[in-house]
Amino acid sequence: MNDDMPQRRYEISSDPARLDAARIHHWLSTDAYWALGRTREHQDRAIAGSLNFGAYDVISGEQVGCARVVTDHATFAWLCDVYVDRSARGHGIATRMAAAARDHLAPTGIRRFLLATDDAHGVYEKVGFEPLKDPHKWMSLQLG
């Protein structure tokens, strides 16, 4: 980071009214390896059925990151679609969004909070995620 550049400050919010759905779709469908080519309609349905977090530049108000949690708010949660705009990376925003999701759901009694990542294990380890202890117990069904 350039020492001459003022440190930007970011805030994390779960207010769905603040989400910039068009920006989120653009990020994920063009730059996120897990969602390349995702349609806007598909993304909008995903947002509508999830608990969403946004990261915002407090100076400009512009959204600079997103994270989505699929959950029943009682027993299970899956953290997904975590993305930080390239211009805002390196400020711990993804870690802060993961922590916000964890803290938001902690009072619900959720016992299992999962995620999958190819390359950001260190980001999530900072907030308590760890590899599955018994991965052989887990199965998946690929539908599409």
Side-chain angles (χ1 to χ4, degrees), residues 40-110:
R40 173 67 190 268
E41 184 271 333
H42 193 89
Q43 183 61 48
D44 287 348
R45 281 191 296 128
I47 289 171
S50 301
L51 170 62
N52 299 279
F53 293 85
Y56 304 89
D57 181 316
V58 297
I59 297 168
S60 69
E62 186 173 70
Q63 186 170 354
V64 298
C66 63
R68 189 166 66 83
V69 181
V70 180
T71 183
D72 61 8
H73 297 276
T75 63
F76 180 82
W78 174 45
L79 178 62
C80 57
D81 286 349
V82 178
Y83 186 90
V84 176
D85 187 84
R86 290 183 179 275
S87 68
R89 291 181 185 172
H91 297 282
I93 295 169
T95 300
R96 288 184 54 207
M97 287 190 296
R102 176 201 62 202
D103 296 347
H104 184 94
L105 291 168
T108 68
I110 284 175

Side-chain angles (χ1 to χ4, degrees), residues 1-70:
M1 179 160 76
N2 183 338
D3 290 337
D4 297 338
M5 177 184 255
Q7 175 89 15
R8 284 197 206 170
R9 293 175 26 145
Y10 302 96
E11 66 179 339
I12 309 301
S13 172
S14 61
D15 179 356
R18 293 185 70 185
L19 295 172
D20 184 338
R23 178 173 287 203
I24 293 168
H25 173 254
H26 175 74
W27 284 333
L28 297 178
S29 68
T30 64
D31 195 39
Y33 66 83
W34 64 91
L36 293 175
R38 187 181 287 172
T39 67
R40 173 67 190 268
E41 184 271 333
H42 193 89
Q43 183 61 48
D44 287 348
R45 281 191 296 128
I47 289 171
S50 301
L51 170 62
N52 299 279
F53 293 85
Y56 304 89
D57 181 316
V58 297
I59 297 168
S60 69
E62 186 173 70
Q63 186 170 354
V64 298
C66 63
R68 189 166 66 83
V69 181
V70 180

Side-chain angles (χ1 to χ4, degrees), residues 79 89-100 102-103 115 117 119-131:
L79 178 62
R89 291 181 185 172
H91 297 282
I93 295 169
T95 300
R96 288 184 54 207
M97 287 190 296
R102 176 201 62 202
D103 296 347
L115 65 84
T117 183
D119 57 2
H121 296 77
V123 168
Y124 303 109
E125 287 169 347
K126 292 176 187 174
V127 296
F129 284 92
E130 56 189 36

